[in-house]
């Protein structure tokens, strides 16, 4: 596949955090891509490195983060990891935009919605009235009634669902090529969640942007995404098209995620099931397969060395010796 | 907002009334008979009684308090024991100098302290941050009269950049401003340190909040994020601190007034205390208290005006 068809190409990305206890190896050799006009979902338990991954893409990592040598994050042909500050400012909000998890804290409480929205357009040399009109149009588009009048309101005057709509509108202000959403509905109740997902589907048609969608919720991923990436403890363990992944899951971890209740795959609401055992310590990693301490199918090679990504089919691969050995 | 302003104003009045109660009680607890001191050792008991009656000191405490309140409301603060001039006139002469000095001190501390705090927060743990940290603590630790003395020696006596003493020619605003620079520095330098530390702390807290990360994710320029998005929130606790701090600033101004031989309420009160000149002491302390109540009132209103959550919740 040529790089041209991918909006985003993450290659061999490793990120660690320096802590008092030692180096937390939050991401190790992650390879993912987002094809043009596709929605790619990322699932995985809490702490598996989903936020670290997307924060790396926008270079918004905590100051104690170290991006290891050899990592590449290619966005539309440019390596984000090599960008200068001014290039990053140019990238953020304009070419890649982001919607965060918690709409209650994502907006500045003392600045009006209109100002926060028009500020994003600071790069465009157009009159203020025109910027405000664009902001109001965007608000109307995400379903905020009476948008023109509400531009001068402040975040606390909106409900949680409304605020997430505003965040989405803000993210789309500059028509970005890639929209990253980090668990955009986790803080909302089921009805609001369904509304927001519906909205995102609509906007996807409208704005033709690619999307990287992070979620705990397998049902949402199944409903919204074209491709899925399953992460475990800082590694990609399985990736493929949504249908393949939900119907022909290979990695024991993915299967355990799904097996808890196969019927619920079709439902919109599904919490990530709890799996016995816990995520390994990211400072002191097991020698073999990262999942081996919790894996019911563990056999001899698993403790020796880490498995590679083995192709299941053209678009589908899993990081498990079972696939290599055809078991 | 209007209702809040009125409620807040009511609170300020209540604070002043309570302060007056304490003031009156304190005067009664201080050892020394005012009549005896005012009239000298050779005064007869009858003269002392007459004096007390004239000053209202023979009345029951409650009556004295009520009289005090009504007098203050009508602007009557009594007369100077020595010169018989109305205290309100005397304070009126001194007050502008005190307010000007407080504003100058505040100006110094705001102009230096707030940007310094922002800078430290944005470049936290850099050598500049560490240096400002040490300097700030230094500023806080050095007493204002030391700062005043050295500033006087260096900038007024040796370098002759600024005038040394007095408040400047009456009516010549430029001259008066020049006379304010050094005393203002002496009064405000400690506050530079306080503000720098305080702003740094609240700034760091705000910079770690989600919406700042979001603003960065939208590619807003760093300066706009720091000085508008973050500072507008981080300044709120600082405004509250300043509101209370002006009280300390006014009492700290006494040293500067003495060192730079400036007129001012603080110096007047200190002189009056030594001679048990009650009306002046009471009037001076009362006006200082009012200034304090006023500054906390203004800071609360300013904070409410900046923060829409407060403003619209009212
Ligand atoms: N600044 C940091 N310093 C040290 N460790 C960190 C830091 N940020 C994240 N980590 C660690 O890195 C790992 C991955 O964290 P990350 O936030 O990416 O997980 P996540 O998949 O987004 O989880 P969640 O679903 O809870 O949001 C976790 O073990 C976390 O404790
Ligand atoms: S490699 Fe082995 S331990 Fe790892 S997931 Fe596959 S079977 Fe389990
Ligand atoms: Mg996360």
């Amino acid at each position: 596949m040529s790089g041209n068809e991918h909006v985003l190409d993450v290659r061999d990305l490793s990120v660690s955090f320096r802590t008092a206890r030692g180096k937390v190896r939050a991401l190790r050799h992650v390879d993912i891509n987002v094809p043009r006009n596709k929605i790619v979902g990322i699932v995985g338990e809490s702490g598996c490195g989903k936020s670290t991954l997307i924060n790396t893409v926008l270079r918004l990592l905590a100051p104690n983060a170290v991006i290891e040598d050899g990592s590449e994050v290619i966005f539309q042909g440019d390596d984000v990891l090599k960008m200068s500050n001014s290039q990053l400012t140019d990238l953020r909000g304009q070419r890649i935009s982001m919607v965060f998890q918690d709409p209650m804290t994502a907006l500045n409480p003392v600045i009006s919605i209109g100002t926060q929205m028009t500020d994003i357009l600071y790069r465009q040399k157009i009159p203020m009235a025109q910027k405000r009109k664009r902001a109001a149009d965007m608000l109307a588009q995400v379903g905020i009634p009476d948008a023109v009048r509400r531009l001068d309101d402040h975040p606390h005057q909106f409900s949680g669902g409304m605020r997430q709509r505003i965040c989405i509108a803000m993210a789309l202000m500059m028509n970005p090529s890639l929209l990253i959403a980090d668990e955009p509905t986790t803080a909302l109740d089921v009805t609001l969640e369904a509304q927001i997902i519906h909205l995102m589907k609509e906007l996807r048609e409208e704005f033709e942007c690619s999307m990287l969608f992070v979620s705990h919720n397998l049902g949402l991923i199944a409903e919204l995404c074209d491709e899925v990436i399953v992460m475990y403890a800082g590694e990609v363990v399985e990736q493929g098209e949504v249908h393949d992944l939900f119907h022909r899951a290979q990695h024991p971890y993915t299967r355990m995620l799904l097996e808890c209740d196969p019927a619920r795959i079709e439902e919109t609401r599904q919490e990530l099931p709890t799996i016995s055992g816990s995520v390994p310590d990211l400072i002191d990693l097991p020698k073999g397969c990262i999942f081996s301490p919790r894996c019911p199918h563990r056999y001899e090679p698993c403790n020796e060395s880490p498995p590679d990504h083995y192709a299941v089919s053209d678009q589908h691969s899993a990081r498990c010796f079972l696939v290599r050995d055809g078991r | 907002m209007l209702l809040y302003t009125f409620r807040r104003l009511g609170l300020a009045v209540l604070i002043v009334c309570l302060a007056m109660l304490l003031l009156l009680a304190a005067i009664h607890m201080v050892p020394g008979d005012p009549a005896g001191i005012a009239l000298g050792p050779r005064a007869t008991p009858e003269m002392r009684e007459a004096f007390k009656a004239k000053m209202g000191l023979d009345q029951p405490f409650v009556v004295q308090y009520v009289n005090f309140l009504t007098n203050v409301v009508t602007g009557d603060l009594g007369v100077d024991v020595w010169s018989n001039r109305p205290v309100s006139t005397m304070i009126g002469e001194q007050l502008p100098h005190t307010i000007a000095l407080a504003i100058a001190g505040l100006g110094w501390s705001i102009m230096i302290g707030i940007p310094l705090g922002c800078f430290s927060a944005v470049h936290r743990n850099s050598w500049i941050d560490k240096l400002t940290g040490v300097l700030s603590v230094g500023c806080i630790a050095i007493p204002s009269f030391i700062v005043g003395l050295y500033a006087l020696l260096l900038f007024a006596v040796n370098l002759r950049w600024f005038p040394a003493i007095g408040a400047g020619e009456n009516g010549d605003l430029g001259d008066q401003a020049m006379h304010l620079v050094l005393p203002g520095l002496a009064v405000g330098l400690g506050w530079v340190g306080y503000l720098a530390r305080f702003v740094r702390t609240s700034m760091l807290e705000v910079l770690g909040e989600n919406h700042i990360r979001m603003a960065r994710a939208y590619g807003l320029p760093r300066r706009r994020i720091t000085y508008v998005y973050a500072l507008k929130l981080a300044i709120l606790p600082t405004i509250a601190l300043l509101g209370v701090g002006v009280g300390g600033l006014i009492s700290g101004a006494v040293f500067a007034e003495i060192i730079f031989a400036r007129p001012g309420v603080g110096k007047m009160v200190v002189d009056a205390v030594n001679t048990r000149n009650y009306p002046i002491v009471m009037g001076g302390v009362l006006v200082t208290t009012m200034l304090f109540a006023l500054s906390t009132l203004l800071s609360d209103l300013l904070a409410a005006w900046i923060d829409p959550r407060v403003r619209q919740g009212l």
Side-chain angles (χ1 to χ4, degrees):
Chain A
M1 213 182 269
S2 84
N4 243 351
E5 292 169 28
H6 296 164
V7 177
L8 180 73
D9 249 309
V10 174
R11 296 184 194 141
D12 200 29
L13 174 67
S14 300
V15 176
S16 310
F17 292 103
R18 282 185 308 250
T19 66
R21 273 181 63 228
K23 230 174 170 188
V24 176
R25 307 194 54 207
L27 289 181
R28 297 175 310 282
H29 308 289
V30 169
D31 283 285
I32 64 157
N33 60 63
V34 180
R36 190 172 301 286
N37 294 342
K38 295 268 194 240
I39 302 186
V40 175
I42 302 182
V43 263
E45 280 166 297
S46 184
C48 71
K50 304 181 295 289
S51 297
T52 307
L53 174 62
I54 60 178
N55 286 339
T56 312
V57 174
L58 273 178
R59 293 272 301 275
L60 289 174
L61 285 167
N64 64 335
V66 183
I67 301 173
E68 307 290 351
D69 289 345
S71 307
E72 279 182 285
V73 176
I74 310 292
F75 175 74
Q76 294 180 329
D78 308 320
D79 191 345
V80 172
L81 302 183
K82 294 198 176 73
M83 284 187 178
S84 66
N85 276 335
S86 66
Q87 283 173 307
L88 282 175
T89 310
D90 186 52
L91 175 84
R92 294 172 182 154
Q94 187 156 241
R95 298 167 65 195
I96 306 183
S97 220
M98 187 140 159
V99 177
F100 288 102
Q101 174 171 351
D102 184 5
M104 302 313 271
T105 59
L107 295 165
N108 193 307
V110 293
I111 297 176
S112 74
I113 296 299
T115 306
Q116 294 191 51
M117 293 186 80
T118 49
D119 269 358
I120 299 174
L121 301 179
Y122 73 96
R123 290 163 275 220
Q124 296 182 345
K125 300 280 169 272
I126 53 173
M128 195 53 177
Q130 217 168 316
K131 291 185 182 179
R132 281 178 68 87
K133 177 160 188 326
R134 168 131 178 85
D137 289 348
M138 281 308 304
L139 285 183
Q141 196 149 17
V142 297
I144 307 278
D146 206 3
V148 179
R149 199 181 51 80
R150 302 221 67 180
L151 278 181
D152 294 318
D153 282 355
H154 289 82
H156 70 275
Q157 291 160 292
F158 295 88
S159 66
M162 287 288 187
R163 288 192 214 182
Q164 195 60 296
R165 285 167 191 268
I166 293 169
C167 290
I168 294 172
M170 287 174 76
L172 295 174
M173 281 298 272
M174 296 293 287
N175 254 325
S177 315
L178 176 66
L179 178 67
I180 302 179
D182 189 358
E183 308 192 30
T185 58
T186 328
L188 305 175
D189 69 38
V190 189
T191 333
L192 287 175
E193 176 170 71
Q195 288 174 7
I196 295 287
I197 294 301
H198 181 70
L199 173 69
M200 293 185 80
K201 273 176 150 175
E202 272 180 16
L203 293 173
R204 179 207 177 184
E205 309 289 315
E206 179 95 27
F207 285 86
E208 295 189 336
C209 69
S210 314
M211 225 185 269
L212 192 57
F213 183 86
V214 176
S215 184
H216 275 139
N217 187 328
L218 283 170
L220 286 188
I221 298 265
E223 190 182 325
L224 190 67
C225 299
D226 304 305
E227 295 182 14
V228 188
I229 291 161
V230 182
M231 288 187 64
Y232 179 75
E235 290 179 9
V236 173
V237 294
E238 185 160 9
Q239 55 189 334
E241 284 181 355
V242 96
H243 187 269
D244 285 346
L245 216 116
F246 278 88
H247 293 277
R248 281 186 287 280
Q250 297 298 313
H251 198 283
Y253 178 65
T254 316
R255 279 196 233 149
M256 284 166 83
L257 289 183
L258 295 168
E259 260 163 27
C260 287
D261 185 359
R264 277 198 287 168
I265 297 168
E266 304 303 324
E267 291 175 12
T268 47
R269 187 71 190 169
Q270 188 187 352
E271 291 300 330
L272 200 62
T274 40
I275 296 173
S276 66
S278 56
V279 188
D281 184 1
L282 295 179
I283 293 176
D284 188 19
L285 296 159
K287 180 164 146 250
C289 169
I290 184 78
F291 190 55
S292 59
R294 292 165 85 182
C295 181
H297 303 286
R298 181 181 57 231
Y299 61 122
E300 304 84 54
C302 306
N303 299 325
E304 297 302 315
S305 61
D308 217 334
H309 290 278
Y310 304 107
V312 180
S313 64
D314 200 16
Q315 301 284 321
H316 182 185
S317 69
R319 192 167 202 177
C320 171
F321 288 119
L322 294 171
V323 178
R324 180 192 66 177
D325 299 346
R327 290 167 54 140
Chain B
M1 186 79 189
L2 201 66
L3 184 71
Y4 175 71
T5 310
F6 278 120
R7 272 219 312 265
R8 195 53 196 72
L9 208 62
L11 187 64
V13 170
L14 194 72
I15 289 173
V16 172
C17 291
L18 273 176
M20 286 167 69
L21 189 67
L22 288 178
L23 188 60
L24 202 65
I27 291 282
H28 279 265
M29 279 186 288
V30 175
D33 174 17
I37 291 170
L39 301 176
R42 271 178 295 174
T44 61
E46 292 75 39
M47 285 167 74
R48 283 187 207 161
E49 285 313 311
F51 179 83
K52 277 189 176 176
K54 183 181 149 225
M55 304 295 289
L57 289 171
D58 54 349
Q59 305 275 340
F61 188 79
V62 182
V63 178
Q64 282 190 40
Y65 183 56
V66 172
N67 287 341
F68 191 21
L69 284 179
T70 41
N71 287 344
V72 167
V73 170
T74 54
D76 175 12
L77 295 176
V79 292
D80 183 341
V81 175
W82 308 110
S83 66
N84 271 333
R85 294 182 61 207
V87 172
S88 50
T89 318
M90 293 176 68
I91 289 178
E93 287 163 10
Q94 308 288 319
L95 195 59
H97 296 292
T98 300
I99 292 178
L101 183 58
I103 289 174
L106 216 57
W108 270 106
S109 51
I110 288 173
M111 269 178 343
I112 305 179
I114 292 180
L116 212 58
C118 289
F119 190 87
S120 291
V122 174
H123 303 274
R124 66 177 160 282
N125 296 333
S126 65
W127 66 268
I128 297 181
D129 177 30
K130 285 174 183 148
L131 183 69
T132 31
V134 173
L135 286 182
S136 306
V137 175
C139 287
I140 298 169
I142 302 172
S144 65
F145 66 89
I146 303 268
V147 179
L149 280 176
Y150 277 96
L152 183 78
L153 276 178
L154 184 62
F155 295 111
V157 178
N158 288 339
L159 295 172
R160 293 177 182 278
W161 287 354
F162 299 102
I165 55 169
E169 281 305 315
N170 246 344
D172 182 351
L173 282 182
D175 189 41
Q176 288 185 334
M178 287 301 272
H179 277 85
L180 269 175
V181 175
L182 292 183
L185 179 68
V187 173
L189 193 66
W191 275 87
V192 171
Y194 270 127
L195 278 192
R197 291 280 88 185
F198 200 76
V199 169
R200 178 183 184 273
T201 310
S202 40
M203 197 68 178
L204 275 181
E205 199 176 302
V206 173
L207 284 176
E209 283 173 13
N210 257 336
H211 54 85
I212 295 295
R213 215 162 63 98
M214 174 122 156
R216 290 210 286 145
Y218 290 147
L220 295 193
R222 199 193 176 109
R223 288 176 132 217
R224 182 146 181 94
I225 295 180
T226 310
Y227 293 104
V228 178
Y229 279 63
L231 189 58
K232 208 172 169 191
L233 273 167
I235 204 73
L236 293 172
T238 311
I239 290 173
L241 178 79
L242 276 177
V244 179
V246 171
L249 214 63
I250 292 171
S251 30
V254 177
F255 292 110
E257 283 168 4
I258 293 171
I259 290 168
F260 293 94
R262 286 179 58 84
V265 176
K267 190 156 166 282
M268 186 176 81
V269 170
V270 170
D271 291 343
V273 164
N274 290 332
T275 51
R276 294 250 153 47
N277 198 339
Y278 284 85
I280 300 242
V281 175
M282 292 191 61
V285 173
L286 181 65
V287 167
T288 317
T289 314
M290 284 174 167
L291 282 183
F292 176 72
L294 183 72
S295 72
T296 50
L297 170 75
L298 287 180
S299 79
D300 279 3
L301 291 181
L302 184 62
W305 180 69
I306 291 179
D307 191 340
R309 291 166 299 181
V310 180
R311 195 199 319 145
Q312 287 152 6
L314 305 166

